[in-house]
Amino acid sequence: NLEVPLFEGGPVGRDRVVVLHDDASRGIEVEPGIYAAADPSLIEDVIHGDAFGKVFVGYAGWGPGQLERELAEGAWLVSEATGVTVLGVRQPEGCDSIIY
């Protein structure tokens, strides 16, 4: 019985699972230091703590021009995507807490 957070990627494709992670050898780079994959073995590795990442179900999708309109309306908060802001901080083995 593992307790791993499952993140909601969006309301579309609720039957799809993807993992965002930090392993350059396993997936496609979506931002510097952030990789995406739907590989079941990688998802298992994240669930069991053998890889560092977050598991998402579903995704967000937009029609032509929709995202641009929503951005112009101020419907989104925009921030730089980095490994830390997206994935958090990998806790070193043997540490009970991280100060940063």
Side-chain angles (χ1 to χ4, degrees):
N1 183 20
L2 300 172
E3 292 190 25
V4 176
L6 180 63
F7 294 88
E8 183 177 2
V12 181
R14 303 290 298 171
D15 59 340
R16 298 182 186 168
V17 176
V18 68
V19 61
L20 294 179
H21 60 92
D22 67 351
D23 185 347
S25 70
R26 300 173 79 177
I28 60 168
E29 189 171 45
V30 294
E31 286 291 327
I34 305 169
Y35 303 86
D39 176 1
S41 68
L42 178 58
I43 294 167
E44 286 287 325
D45 287 349
V46 169
I47 289 171
H48 292 287
D50 298 325
F52 182 66
K54 291 183 177 179
V55 179
F56 291 83
V57 63
Y59 62 92
W62 294 267
Q66 180 182 353
L67 181 57
E68 291 79 6
R69 283 191 306 276
E70 291 177 5
L71 286 167
E73 294 167 356
W76 291 94
L77 296 176
V78 180
S79 176
E80 181 181 0
T82 67
V84 172
T85 60
V86 174
L87 299 176
V89 176
R90 180 190 295 253
Q91 185 167 327
E93 202 161 314
C95 288
D96 292 331
S97 62
I98 295 177
I99 300 172
Y100 58 96

